[in-house]
Amino acid sequence: MHGGMPGEARARAYSTPLADLNPGDPELFRSFSFHPVFERLRAEDPVHWCKDSEFGPYWSVTRFNDIMSVDTNHQVFSSDADLGGITIRNARPGHHRRPSFIAMDPPKHDAQRKTVSPVVSPANLMLLEPIIRERMQRILDSLPVGETFDWVDRVSIELTTQMLATLFDFPFKERRKLTYWSDVATASAKPGEIIETEDQRHEELMKCLEYFTHLWNERVNAPPKGDLISMMAHSDATRNMTPMEYLGNIVLLTVGGNDTTRNSISGGVLALNQNPDQYDKLRAHPEFIPNMVPEIVRWQTPLAHMRRTAVADIEVAGKQIKKGDKVIMWYVSGNRDASVIDKPDEFRIDRERARQHLSFGFGIHRCVGNRLAELQLKIVWEEILKRFSFVEVMGEPRRVLSSFVNGYETLPVRLHA
Ligand code: HEM
């Protein structure tokens, strides 16, 4: 079982010359050695310039309040895909481009966001709650007790995929396609990974578009209903999207509603295993679940960063950012900023102001699905506690090779009745 900050990673983070620190290196995330790098940057160079990397040059904003100031200044810090988009890896030019409203600035962003938000409104969430609970119960009741199995595959992926299929009204039996396309969209294109080249990514996602175009045509010719595709097909803001815009929004909702919640479900199991006193407290006080949920989302920070491109020169914490520069807001670092969050490396299910974290972003792009994500996590833990005394982690998780999706490929566990 790994601890919070392995000594070796720490030594490396502090012995590398400051100018050479490249916190966006995906290997740091696969090997879980990023925390000491950010700890050092927050202390010594909170707005850090990396002059070269596999993603080109970029700024890292690492402190809580500086991240807030960038995230809420969309006039200067653009999300536009044409300028590079919202992740450290530049958006793909030309025919591989998939525009979506997370990678747009106002006014187009605002209009498209308005179209999808009703599906996660409080009223709709109340309708969804019993469906989520019923599906969760079925998944948990099918799990083997006393045997080691992969929590990521059998619980985290299964639940979020079922949820997504519900939101899209996607053919239920084929729902694992959604998991696959989500993985395709976010994987690093490298030999040995699920996709090896950008061309291959494009080919796979065109199959996704074809499938969803079929669903669109079905819904656009039928009366409007409450699923996301029907809502997009019947709304003024979205009915004339180009096919690539449609694909962009599908991928956005798939990744948004899938990977992030998936990794929070796994991250919670890991956090409680690493902090047995907190697990004991939870068993004795299940009423802490609603407070534990945002603490899990902070502790895990399922999306390590969002990226912006400066459209004007601007100073941030004493550093001169130039028009055109790539700026990475490291939520995963801001969430461990001790000047804002008390003892941030500790996982505390009864933390005060647990919702004060950056994991959902801030400003006009703040996560649309945050209440839905919290609802799913609340139900998961309520139902787990009713059934099992202990979800025991049996070995090291395998972490995703990405400095964007901060999560797990596998997590071996054993259930105790
Ligand atoms: C724990 C789970 C989740 C996390 C950590 C998360 C995180 C984020 C973050 C960091 C952003 C960008 C914020 C910014 O740039 O300021 C975002 C935006 C977004 N999220 Fe989530 N998300 C989660 C769950 C969901 C779910 C369940 C859905 C789908 C229903 C969803 C849909 C979206 C969408 C559509 C956007 C784009 C909003 C915009 O650009 O206006 N997310 N999310």
Side-chain angles (χ1 to χ4, degrees):
M1 175 103 272
H2 68 75
M5 273 191 190
E8 228 175 89
R10 209 153 191 283
R12 213 175 318 120
Y14 279 86
S15 61
T16 305
L18 200 53
D20 294 344
L21 286 180
N22 170 20
D25 179 1
E27 286 296 344
L28 287 177
F29 286 78
R30 169 153 285 176
S31 59
F32 193 58
S33 18
F34 57 89
H35 277 309
V37 174
F38 288 117
E39 180 193 81
R40 183 168 177 216
L41 288 177
R42 283 193 303 276
E44 297 178 27
D45 193 22
V47 177
H48 170 78
W49 178 247
C50 176
K51 63 182 184 308
D52 193 26
S53 76
E54 67 176 285
F55 309 106
Y58 64 94
W59 290 100
S60 287
V61 182
T62 61
R63 285 186 180 164
F64 193 103
N65 289 325
D66 294 334
I67 292 169
M68 285 276 274
S69 81
V70 171
D71 217 352
T72 52
N73 186 356
H74 63 270
Q75 289 89 352
V76 171
F77 295 104
S78 168
S79 298
D80 194 335
D82 287 333
L83 302 177
I86 48 114
T87 74
I88 191 166
R89 183 174 64 203
N90 285 336
R92 288 165 286 280
H95 69 294
H96 288 180
R97 181 63 62 74
R98 294 174 271 115
S100 66
F101 65 92
I102 199 170
M104 286 177 195
D105 295 327
K108 210 169 171 192
H109 159 269
D110 305 16
Q112 291 199 2
R113 177 177 169 119
K114 235 166 131 183
T115 305
V116 302
S117 15
V119 83
V120 282
S121 68
N124 232 19
L125 291 187
M126 271 176 60
L127 295 176
L128 282 173
E129 170 150 8
I131 305 176
I132 301 176
R133 190 177 298 278
E134 199 256 351
R135 291 191 163 160
M136 190 69 224
Q137 288 166 341
R138 224 179 317 144
I139 294 169
L140 292 176
D141 285 338
S142 75
L143 297 173
V145 173
E147 255 173 54
T148 301
F149 66 91
D150 179 17
W151 181 263
V152 173
D153 186 57
R154 298 217 29 198
V155 183
S156 309
I157 293 183
E158 196 48 36
L159 175 75
T160 46
T161 304
Q162 290 195 12
M163 191 62 251
L164 209 55
T166 307
L167 288 179
F168 285 134
D169 195 10
F170 190 90
F172 203 64
K173 285 219 175 79
E174 305 216 41
R175 63 188 182 274
R176 281 281 167 142
K177 282 188 164 46
L178 295 169
T179 317
Y180 173 70
W181 287 323
S182 176
D183 290 345
V184 164
T186 52
S188 300
K190 279 190 180 157
E193 294 300 315
I194 146 171
I195 51 124
E196 304 201 333
T197 65
E198 290 302 336
D199 282 340
Q200 193 191 354
R201 189 199 312 272
H202 181 69
E203 259 167 50
E204 291 307 306
L205 289 177
M206 292 320 284
K207 292 182 201 154
C208 171
L209 175 60
E210 196 184 310
Y211 198 102
F212 272 94
T213 301
H214 172 74
L215 297 180
W216 176 286
N217 292 338
E218 197 183 273
R219 311 279 153 91
V220 79
N221 295 316
K225 51 191 187 81
D227 69 87
L228 274 171
I229 299 172
S230 177
M231 282 173 136
M232 286 195 272
H234 290 278
S235 154
D236 286 342
T238 41
R239 76 161 56 105
N240 295 318
M241 285 186 290
T242 65
M244 291 314 270
E245 270 182 325
Y246 178 46
L247 177 63
N249 280 316
I250 291 296
V251 170
L252 168 58
L253 290 159
T254 305
V255 174
N258 201 8
D259 273 13
T260 50
T261 313
R262 178 204 303 184
N263 288 317
S264 307
I265 296 173
S266 306
V269 169
L270 201 57
L272 286 166
N273 271 261
Q274 288 173 5
N275 299 274
D277 60 317
Q278 297 300 302
Y279 209 153
D280 286 341
K281 199 184 287 178
L282 178 66
R283 287 184 195 102
H285 297 282
E287 69 273 16
F288 282 137
I289 290 174
N291 200 75
M292 175 179 77
V293 163
E295 175 67 351
I296 290 174
V297 174
R298 179 191 73 87
W299 187 88
Q300 178 60 34
T301 316
L303 295 180
H305 74 263
M306 282 283 156
R307 166 261 179 88
R308 300 291 186 258
T309 309
V311 295
D313 294 356
I314 188 168
E315 191 186 304
V316 178
K319 295 287 177 82
Q320 276 303 325
I321 292 177
K322 289 258 174 328
K323 180 177 174 178
D325 285 353
K326 183 191 295 197
V327 179
I328 310 298
M329 303 178 283
W330 289 108
Y331 297 145
V332 80
S333 171
N335 278 341
R336 301 288 171 112
D337 183 341
S339 70
V340 174
I341 296 167
D342 185 42
K343 303 232 168 55
D345 291 328
E346 289 178 10
F347 174 78
R348 296 190 202 147
I349 67 169
D350 53 354
R351 179 178 289 282
E352 279 175 34
R353 295 193 303 282
R355 299 182 111 234
Q356 184 192 33
H357 65 67
L358 295 166
S359 300
F360 292 125
F362 271 95
I364 62 166
H365 291 282
R366 183 172 166 81
C367 181
V368 166
N370 63 8
R371 297 289 173 168
L372 173 61
E374 289 183 348
L375 177 66
Q376 293 184 70
L377 294 169
K378 180 178 84 90
I379 297 172
V380 171
W381 282 103
E382 285 170 358
E383 297 301 324
I384 289 173
L385 285 183
K386 280 184 207 160
R387 286 167 176 75
F388 311 115
S389 62
F390 189 17
V391 183
E392 184 182 7
V393 172
M394 300 303 289
E396 289 289 323
R398 183 174 160 82
R399 290 166 189 275
V400 177
L401 179 66
S402 167
S403 48
F404 181 59
V405 172
N406 180 28
Y408 311 94
E409 279 172 3
T410 58
L411 179 66
V413 301
R414 183 175 294 180
L415 297 174
H416 299 247

